[in-house]
Amino acid sequence: MTTRRTPLMDISNNDVTSTPVATGSRRKSGRAVKVPEKFIPDAPSSQQGSASAKRKRGGEDAENDASDVDEEEEESDATVESAAEEEVREIRRKSKTAKKPAAKKPKVNGTATHEGAPAVKLPARPKKAKKVAIADKSAEGLYADVYTSGELAEDVAGRWLVRYEDNGQEALTEFMNFIFKSAGCSAQVTVDDINDPDNAESRISDMQDELQAQQVTDYPLISKTKSGHAFRTALIDFIDGLIRAMHTKGVLYTEEPLMENIHVWLSSMTDSSSRPFRHTATLVALVMTSTMSKIASAEIDASAKVQRQLEGEKKNKRPNKARLADFQQKVDRNEKRKDYIEAQLKDFFDTVYVHRYRDIDPKIRIECVEALGYWILTLPSVFFEGQYLRYMGWMLSDTHAGMRQEVVKQLSKIMKNPSNHGQMRHFIERFRPRLVEMATRDSEPGVRAAAVELMDYIRQAGMLEPDDIDVIGKLIFDSEPRVRKALVGFFAENIKDLYDNRIEELGGEEVLEDILTVEDEEDFSTPRAAWIRYKSLAESLLSYDNEDQEEMPSQIEAADYLNVAGTESRFTHAAQALYDKVPDLKDWETLAGYLLYDHSAPVTGNETERALKDSVKPTENEEVILLEILNAVVKVALTHVHHSESSKKTKAEIQEAKENAARRLAGLIPSLLKKYGADPKTATVVLRLEHVLNLSIFEELRQDSTVYAKLLDEISAQFNGHADKGVLNEAGAALLHARGYEELEEVTESRMQSLWDDTTSALRKINKAGEISVRGALRNKILTELSHNLARLEQLASISSPVDSLEADTGKGDPLPIGILLDVIARGVFEDSNDETLDALEDEVVLSAIRSSMFYFMWKVKSLTDAVAAGDEIPGLDIDHLKEFQDIFTTNLIAAFSSRSTLDPVRLIGAGVLLDLYTLFSTLRPSKKSKAKNGATANAEANGNPHLQSLVQEIGPEVQAELTSIFDALEKQFSKKSKKTLAEPSDDEAPQDLDSEPEDDEDEEITANEKQAETLRTEQQLCELAGKLILAILAQVIDVSGEQKGKLRHRLQRNRSRLGHNFKEVIAYLDDPKLKAKKSHKSKAQQAEEAKKKAMKSRELVEEDEDEDDPFAEVEPEEGTAEDLRRRELLDEEPEGDEDAGVGPAGGGEDEDDDMLGD
């Protein structure tokens, strides 16, 4: 197939406008408009040459031309046009043979040359239609003209009409065969078939059978090939061009049998059981109807225009009878044509649309509703009636989402025009409940978004009830961003209505004008109109937040009232969506001023001022919402500053904007913390503002260091003053953010060290208040203080190393903080106090101590690993102390979680932390990788400190049995929640303990969403413990020796295919043998090729190598597998592999590894 190439030369300007014809055209036009006033015999030579070159009269000279002016004026227009055409043909002929373009000549009737004159261009030629590639290269006739000739559809339609005038039956046969072939059917009808329209249905049935016998699964209209869209476009253009050509030539009205025949065949095809026939014929019929609707609309306009002319002529004192007769004839002709077209439209609607709008194929249904929307907008006098609109309403309940969305889109087009609102009122009243339901509860986000846009138009028309407005407004919390974006305009109007109502209540804009006028724009603490909008926004969001969540299943979940612990809440999402449509949100400093204003102060001023201040006073809950909004808009605003368009602002201006925004925000945060820092909810939100602050500004502007120091002081004060997890997390994140800037690290570290000193001092003080290792030995007040202190210590340990602070010795004989921390874990040994609140507080203290201690060991092992890597000597005394702390930790931890029979947090977290601890210390084992790379030196480092290796221990059989029982209980709990069946234990495993199965309380009283959440929670607990057990197995700290060896691995895999995909994927990390098989397969090919080339190894040796665990294989292992952990030096080689590899270097194991590495 020939493909198009880019021409070597640009010929885009090589047309009539770029040739001397343009000059001739100007010459001719000049003579026609302005005749020379007098003859000038001594004209410049250039002008004479130009005139003689452009206008020759069979040897006549310029004098004859001038003397014959009077004769030329009497020449007819036809003669002038004939001469001009003759010149054009002559010049075109010469331009084809000319090698160079003609030299530019001065203008004949003026002094300007062509160089100074604007280019003369003819109207742009219409572009040719694109060719459509088709599989049938032998295409001919009308089918080839439409799809492969590249000609305009109007030209193809015109030639077909010419053929129809010559032989109507053959032309109609050709047209119908074109339709059949466009549907993918190669069979054809004959002239005899066309002459027998009563047999059309039978003939179409035969052709349908032939098409189905070919078992065609695809047809051109739905083809996904590159030419599929072009095929559809070409078909539509041709049908449209054909109907318009028939209208222009009058064939549409004079040849009524033509339309009748086409209608009979198309209507029969649309009733076919073959989808290609139905779809293609339906599309053709719909396009014909659409084009006739356009024509009818034009005829109505033309008839109205002529009617006005007729009425105007009648009003004349002396009307022209001929003109009256002509106008009346045109009116009658237009009316007759309109009536005929409307009759055709009704026939097509009744025979095609009424049956196909509910076709089983959604593509055909979508074609129908799209066409109906077009007809209503194009020919409202016919189709904008209830009998047609009702089809739109019925299709709102279609099962196909694309169909529902298309209906809503067409209704939006109708409602977009305010002049249509009156005729749509009855329809909206009838189908409004369904439209509201689609906007709020449809399963497809695209349909909901489209329905929300339609609701906005309906609201503008005043056709929504107040309850409907509130229901739609709740979608500002929808989980889909496109739905929230579609609602922005609707919601902004809600805020505007609330604002207007509040203004009216306060006396109107004229009364408030003086009060709300702001003299100093930089003074954000004075009341202004934006404050009323902020109050309205907060009220609206709060009212929607209080509504029942069950009514809006697609909304962002709000588990707790005003739960803003996460980084993104439903209020921040709403604010981000509203940012562009509510201008007051862009002015975040004004919003901050509104929040910082002391609304509790006594109200002063006149009655109007007092009423205004009372009206804008926010409640506590509204303040939380506005703080969330402030977070969102500050983030968006600063992002916009960072991405300002360079075309509008210079780099210096952008940098200055960054600095100003950072300084203003840094100055506002301390003030906000002072006002809202007492409440954990508000303090959490304010602290989050620091995350978006660009601290690099303070690195560059040292003069602002006091502002930053003040900010750090306020953050530290919040950290010390709260025990709420949300506040501590945000304060810790702010401190961690500050540590990321090198220039600010020193001042940040000093604040963090101060926090460490305060926390450890408080811990020592609490230790002296009572027996800290015995549960119930502390008063409630001391226990609460201990809980708060440990929460802060845990947060600090997560962002900075606690080793120095927890190992610091006061020199006064006081116990080390790490020792106190480990003693607190002993409080986890359960003793029922018959007080659930006290037990919960005790457990929270133990959990904080467990997590804090684990952070200590993680930082400690990191420091040991760094020391070994650097070759530093590790004192034996340090290792002894660490081993002592390790033993105390494991002893207290095992005692805590093994004393509990239920799956409470202490038991689950304690078991997981114990597994993490053993896995953590296993990383201190020497790796073969370092041994192979560094040789004897690395080997001496690893084995020269056996004291360090004593920290690597194995979990005992009793503890392993306890961990297995916890895993059993989690399996049973999840299987019961998820209604899954567990596999029976094998003969060598212990039978199931039915009495230990957890019981579900109040299952009948919880909702379906709560049941699902509980099921997901139990699945998460099961997968977490299974993952920790697998890591411990791969780290060879459990299930590797004794009688229990291998049993835990087998137990974990018992139900791998019965408890869902998540659990199955977790257990898949035990499939290390499969990875080895895959790796050995590749190694086998490499080894075989090497043996073939070098003839040094036998097949037996290669097979022996396959069984070895080769750490140097080039296969990239899957992340998280044992091989991946070994490559990252987190695990050592398996003992089995070491035994198989031989006893020492003489066994040949290392040589084989070297050979494989060389391969």
Side-chain angles (χ1 to χ4, degrees), residues 530-592:
W531 287 18
I532 303 177
R533 295 189 181 91
Y534 295 145
K535 172 68 175 177
S536 303
L537 174 61
E539 277 186 351
S540 181
L541 291 175
L542 181 60
S543 65
Y544 292 156
D545 185 75
N546 289 332
E547 297 291 338
D548 186 8
Q549 297 296 313
E550 289 297 321
E551 296 180 5
M552 310 292 287
S554 66
Q555 286 190 349
I556 302 171
E557 291 294 334
D560 299 319
Y561 177 69
L562 289 181
N563 180 16
V564 293
T567 56
E568 296 288 349
S569 70
R570 58 202 332 224
F571 305 109
T572 57
H573 285 300
Q576 289 168 1
L578 293 169
Y579 183 82
D580 291 326
K581 285 290 185 178
V582 182
D584 291 316
L585 289 182
K586 297 181 180 180
D587 191 2
W588 57 270
E589 290 181 84
T590 301
L591 176 56

Side-chain angles (χ1 to χ4, degrees), residues 446-674:
V447 178
R448 291 207 307 276
V452 166
E453 292 179 359
L454 175 59
M455 289 292 107
D456 198 8
Y457 293 125
I458 296 175
R459 177 204 172 98
Q460 293 173 16
M463 301 181 191
L464 271 186
E465 298 294 330
D467 291 342
D468 295 333
I469 293 176
D470 290 337
V471 171
I472 301 298
K474 296 175 190 175
L475 291 174
I476 197 64
F477 295 141
D478 197 275
S479 58
E480 281 292 330
R482 52 181 152 171
V483 177
R484 298 197 299 270
K485 184 177 180 180
L487 186 75
V488 165
F490 186 96
F491 192 87
E493 284 298 316
N494 284 0
I495 304 303
K496 185 177 181 299
D497 290 345
L498 289 175
Y499 172 81
D500 293 339
N501 292 338
R502 198 176 295 272
I503 290 292
E504 290 298 323
E505 291 174 0
L506 294 172
E509 292 185 355
E510 295 180 359
V511 176
L512 298 174
E513 184 176 359
D514 294 337
I515 303 176
L516 297 178
T517 301
V518 181
E519 296 179 357
D520 184 6
E521 292 294 338
E522 297 297 325
D523 183 10
F524 299 105
S525 61
T526 56
R528 56 188 71 197
W531 287 18
I532 303 177
R533 295 189 181 91
Y534 295 145
K535 172 68 175 177
S536 303
L537 174 61
E539 277 186 351
S540 181
L541 291 175
L542 181 60
S543 65
Y544 292 156
D545 185 75
N546 289 332
E547 297 291 338
D548 186 8
Q549 297 296 313
E550 289 297 321
E551 296 180 5
M552 310 292 287
S554 66
Q555 286 190 349
I556 302 171
E557 291 294 334
D560 299 319
Y561 177 69
L562 289 181
N563 180 16
V564 293
T567 56
E568 296 288 349
S569 70
R570 58 202 332 224
F571 305 109
T572 57
H573 285 300
Q576 289 168 1
L578 293 169
Y579 183 82
D580 291 326
K581 285 290 185 178
V582 182
D584 291 316
L585 289 182
K586 297 181 180 180
D587 191 2
W588 57 270
E589 290 181 84
T590 301
L591 176 56
Y594 174 63
L595 288 167
L596 288 172
Y597 185 81
D598 187 5
H599 297 278
S600 62
V603 180
T604 59
N606 57 36
E607 183 179 353
T608 305
E609 290 178 346
R610 292 196 302 271
L612 173 63
K613 291 181 180 179
D614 286 339
S615 176
V616 299
K617 181 181 179 180
T619 64
E620 292 183 3
N621 292 328
E622 289 170 355
E623 286 179 330
V624 176
I625 293 176
L626 289 173
L627 284 170
E628 279 287 297
I629 293 174
L630 178 63
N631 253 289
V633 298
V634 164
K635 183 177 180 180
V636 176
L638 293 185
T639 303
H640 285 186
V641 169
H642 286 284
H643 295 87
S644 298
E645 297 181 7
S646 57
S647 60
K648 295 182 180 179
K649 292 185 178 181
T650 63
K651 290 183 178 180
E653 291 174 336
I654 294 174
Q655 183 63 25
E656 184 180 358
K658 292 180 184 179
E659 295 171 1
N660 293 336
R663 280 196 294 268
R664 292 195 299 268
L665 181 58
L668 284 173
I669 293 175
S671 301
L672 290 168
L673 285 174
K674 284 182 179 179

Side-chain angles (χ1 to χ4, degrees), residues 386-404:
Q387 59 176 326
Y388 298 107
L389 280 173
R390 60 181 180 174
Y391 290 96
M392 291 276 196
W394 294 339
M395 290 184 286
L396 288 172
S397 301
D398 196 279
T399 57
H400 189 259
M403 178 64 172
R404 298 195 302 274

Side-chain angles (χ1 to χ4, degrees), residues 937-966:
T937 304
N939 193 20
E941 285 183 8
N943 298 326
N945 197 347
H947 211 30
L948 183 64
Q949 297 304 310
S950 65
L951 295 172
V952 183
Q953 299 177 3
E954 183 182 342
I955 298 177
E958 294 181 357
V959 181
Q960 178 176 332
E962 176 67 19
L963 295 172
T964 305
S965 68
I966 297 174

Side-chain angles (χ1 to χ4, degrees), residues 128 208 214 249 309 326 625 788 916 984 1041 1044:
K128 289 187 177 181
Q208 168 189 304
Q214 301 173 8
K249 292 190 175 183
Q309 292 175 337
D326 182 53
I625 293 176
H788 295 173
D916 289 340
E984 294 293 333
S1041 63
Q1044 301 293 325

Side-chain angles (χ1 to χ4, degrees), residues 727-870:
V727 177
L728 294 178
N729 286 337
E730 295 300 334
L735 292 171
L736 193 61
H737 180 215
R739 291 186 66 192
Y741 294 85
E742 185 176 352
E743 295 294 330
L744 306 175
E745 188 173 1
E746 183 178 350
V747 63
T748 307
E749 288 295 340
S750 66
R751 299 300 192 281
M752 294 189 68
Q753 187 57 49
S754 176
L755 293 175
W756 270 117
D757 294 341
D758 294 343
T759 306
T760 53
S761 297
L763 185 61
R764 286 191 174 99
K765 182 179 178 181
I766 294 172
N767 183 49
K768 297 176 181 178
E771 186 58 48
I772 204 167
S773 61
V774 178
R775 191 181 184 92
L778 296 177
R779 299 193 308 273
N780 286 357
K781 181 179 179 182
I782 301 297
L783 186 63
T784 303
E785 186 179 349
L786 176 62
S787 173
H788 295 173
N789 188 72
L790 289 179
R792 289 190 283 270
L793 192 149
E794 177 188 347
Q795 186 62 40
L796 279 175
S798 67
I799 62 175
S800 64
S801 175
V803 174
D804 293 338
S805 298
L806 294 182
E807 293 180 355
D809 190 358
T810 60
K812 299 179 182 179
D814 295 334
L816 299 179
I818 182 61
I820 301 174
L821 200 59
L822 297 176
D823 288 341
V824 173
I825 299 175
R827 303 177 70 90
V829 178
F830 184 72
E831 292 182 7
D832 194 356
S833 64
N834 296 323
D835 186 345
E836 292 184 2
T837 305
L838 181 60
D839 286 338
L841 184 58
E842 288 277 9
D843 288 348
E844 186 60 36
V845 167
V846 172
L847 290 174
S848 292
I850 290 174
R851 288 189 286 259
S852 301
S853 301
M854 188 61 196
F855 278 126
Y856 164 79
F857 286 109
M858 291 169 67
W859 285 103
K860 192 69 176 177
V861 171
K862 181 181 183 300
S863 64
L864 293 177
T865 305
D866 293 343
V868 171

